[in-house]
Amino acid sequence: MNKTGTGTGTASRLFGEHFLHDLNQPELDMLHKVRDLVESRIGPNAHKVAEKDEFAWDNFHLLAKEGVIATAFPNEYGGTDARQVLRIRIIEELGRVCSASASLITGADLSCRAIVAGATPQMKEQLLPGLRSGKLQAAFALTEPEAGSDVRGLKTSIRQEGGEFVVNGSKKFITRGTTADWFMVVGRLEADASRFVAVLVPRGAAGFDISPEVEKLGWYGVPISSLRFENVRVPAGNLLGKVGDGFELAQDALLRARIGHAAMALGRSIGAIEIAAAYMNDRTLFGKALGEHQGAQWMLSDMFSQVEAARALLSVTAQKYDRGDTDVAVYASMAKQQATDLCMKVVTDALQLTGGRGYMKDFPLERFFRDAKLNQIGEGSSEVHKTVIGRDVIRRSTRAQRNPTLREGSLVAY
Ligand SMILES: Cc1cc2nc3c(=O)[nH]c(=O)nc-3n(C[C@H](O)[C@H](O)[C@H](O)COP(=O)(O)OP(=O)(O)OC[C@H]3O[C@@H](n4cnc5c(N)ncnc54)[C@H](O)[C@@H]3O)c2cc1C
């Protein structure tokens, strides 16, 4: 064992266990199972998984077999319908070592939530047990060449024709494009473009074309593709929710995925701080350990305190989700924007603290640095979330109690 205490597996954690007080015993058991998997399999293999941008099948099957993916699914279909207070801890734990593994859990929400919420009983029966057990996979197809942040600008059209829906259009940046069996596709109703429609399209449907995997900066292990639909026909039973529900179903899936992205970013931040602090203990310069230099301690101090603050915000958000609070969406925006922007800063500073070693390909921070960027873009960019939050504050302030220091009529006039 070196002097940082790494390599024991039983050493106390750098970040405390205070957030675990939210969990009951079965939830703690699940979290400890995930911790064991991270320690024995997922952590040691994370570098290998990230070597190539190929789907991380081994980790997907492992997390499915161990019931971790099932946390996203209802009990009646073999899932465990876990509370968000548990799921953020699971995702954080995986994100601490491997973005691809964490995204297998957030991806289960993104791609399957609309099926859970809106599929017909027959489709649920047909798909959910397989999606829960890892025998099947779904993808979430919302983004288009001209509709990313401005998602209401999407152009894919869906026409009702007899007992079928007919899909025309294209999608881009679709995670699991090359591996999914089913695609949740959101488009506009051809007869009334103000109404959004979500349908399930199976891989292999006539007229449905999936591009090869598109090369990207990071998040290796979860490849993306573009999709094209030319008069793709699906039966009426593939409709999710009702005609007109497509946008709300997509937002419902994105809400859970945003909470997950925040957890993943915080997990990665925790991992980066653990690595930087270990290096600071081991690395001697100018006659003492790097960790004894005050400038480096101040950097570490900001990183640690800010991550703990963001974790507290995310915990509140998860509790709000579990209670069904009406303001959960704006809290999810806050948690996601704060955690993901912070993660980019933390991994940058952690890499700086580890000097040239951090810049090397075989050192995990190089990968953390590349992976962090995506969390600020996917599931709504930071700028989109700041717009949502700012708009919400202004809207609520019109109804909120005035600060008692303000005299009537004294705001603008004096
Ligand atoms: C690896 C990866 C995986 C993805 N997986 C999926 C998936 O599975 N399914 C899916 O549907 N989509 C997916 N996406 C798409 C993702 O959700 C979009 O990339 C994201 O919503 C941003 O859209 P855009 O890329 O078109 O950026 P744009 O909309 O072109 O925005 C560009 C930038 O403009 C800035 N900006 C945006 N709005 C504002 C504003 N109001 N004010 C100021 N600045 C602003 C932001 O910095 C933003 O990043 C994925 C993307 C990536 C990169």
Side-chain angles (χ1 to χ4, degrees), residues 292-310:
E292 287 172 32
H293 289 265
Q294 193 181 53
Q297 287 174 350
W298 285 10
M299 278 174 77
L300 199 61
S301 158
D302 280 346
M303 292 154 75
F304 196 96
S305 312
Q306 288 167 11
V307 167
E308 284 293 71

Side-chain angles (χ1 to χ4, degrees), residues 29-49:
D29 293 344
M30 170 51 86
L31 182 63
H32 284 123
K33 184 198 276 194
V34 172
R35 285 185 170 185
D36 289 345
L37 293 174
V38 163
E39 191 74 27
S40 61
R41 312 261 304 260
I42 295 171
N45 288 335
H47 182 74
K48 196 164 165 21
V49 166

Side-chain angles (χ1 to χ4, degrees), residues 110 140-143 148-150 172-175 216 224 374 377-381 383-384 387:
L110 188 65
F140 174 86
L142 181 67
T143 306
S149 305
D150 183 10
K172 69 171 181 181
F173 302 147
I174 305 307
T175 306
K216 53 185 165 58
I224 58 170
L374 190 269
I377 296 171
E379 266 70 345
S381 69
E383 291 73 19
V384 166
T387 307

Side-chain angles (χ1 to χ4, degrees), residues 110-395:
L110 188 65
S111 60
C112 303
R113 180 66 190 168
I115 304 174
V116 170
T120 61
Q122 292 87 332
M123 281 308 258
K124 285 188 190 178
E125 204 61 61
Q126 184 186 335
L127 301 185
L128 290 181
L131 291 168
R132 185 261 305 151
S133 65
K135 290 202 177 73
L136 290 176
Q137 232 185 54
F140 174 86
L142 181 67
T143 306
E144 297 187 358
E146 292 172 71
S149 305
D150 183 10
V151 70
R152 283 185 183 271
L154 63 81
K155 292 198 166 60
T156 292
S157 80
I158 301 185
R159 183 171 79 238
Q160 233 170 334
E161 209 172 84
E164 290 179 320
F165 286 96
V166 186
V167 186
N168 279 288
S170 57
K171 299 284 177 185
K172 69 171 181 181
F173 302 147
I174 305 307
T175 306
R176 303 179 175 196
T178 50
T179 56
D181 305 281
W182 289 86
F183 294 76
M184 182 259 193
V185 181
V186 186
R188 290 174 183 281
L189 191 65
E190 199 177 282
D192 176 0
S194 68
R195 299 171 81 193
F196 291 90
V197 184
V199 292
L200 281 168
V201 177
R203 166 182 298 281
F208 178 21
D209 184 55
I210 302 168
S211 82
E213 292 166 354
V214 182
E215 287 186 36
K216 53 185 165 58
L217 175 72
W219 272 50
Y220 284 11
V222 276
I224 58 170
S225 299
S226 303
L227 316 178
R228 279 196 64 76
F229 303 90
E230 263 186 58
N231 290 317
V232 176
R233 291 175 176 273
V234 295
N238 288 24
L239 177 69
L240 294 168
K242 301 188 296 300
V243 167
D245 286 350
F247 199 75
E248 283 67 33
L249 285 167
Q251 288 303 322
D252 177 51
L254 284 165
L255 171 60
R256 287 172 70 104
R258 280 169 187 153
I259 294 173
H261 266 245
M264 186 190 315
L266 290 173
R268 190 183 303 113
S269 301
I270 289 170
I273 292 172
E274 289 171 338
I275 293 163
Y279 181 87
M280 288 166 73
N281 264 318
D282 277 14
R283 178 67 165 161
T284 300
L285 32 83
F286 304 107
K288 56 184 180 183
L290 175 59
E292 287 172 32
H293 289 265
Q294 193 181 53
Q297 287 174 350
W298 285 10
M299 278 174 77
L300 199 61
S301 158
D302 280 346
M303 292 154 75
F304 196 96
S305 312
Q306 288 167 11
V307 167
E308 284 293 71
R311 291 176 89 201
L313 174 59
L314 180 60
S315 280
V316 168
T317 305
Q319 288 162 1
K320 279 183 173 291
Y321 187 96
D322 292 334
R323 279 198 305 267
D325 288 3
T326 52
D327 58 356
V328 63
V330 77
Y331 271 79
S333 286
M334 285 190 251
K336 200 253 173 192
Q337 183 262 318
Q338 287 291 322
T340 59
D341 285 356
L342 177 63
C343 178
M344 195 69 242
K345 180 174 178 300
V346 165
V347 296
T348 304
D349 288 349
L351 202 154
Q352 186 71 15
L353 282 167
T354 53
R357 187 69 190 98
Y359 198 68
M360 297 297 110
K361 266 244 178 245
D362 73 320
F363 204 68
L365 291 178
E366 177 268 351
R367 165 169 63 86
F368 283 22
F369 183 77
R370 288 185 289 108
D371 291 345
K373 196 67 212 160
L374 190 269
N375 292 107
Q376 293 179 293
I377 296 171
E379 266 70 345
S381 69
S382 296
E383 291 73 19
V384 166
H385 289 297
K386 284 198 241 188
T387 307
V388 168
I389 299 158
R391 209 167 34 207
D392 178 73
V393 176
I394 291 295
R395 188 177 49 77

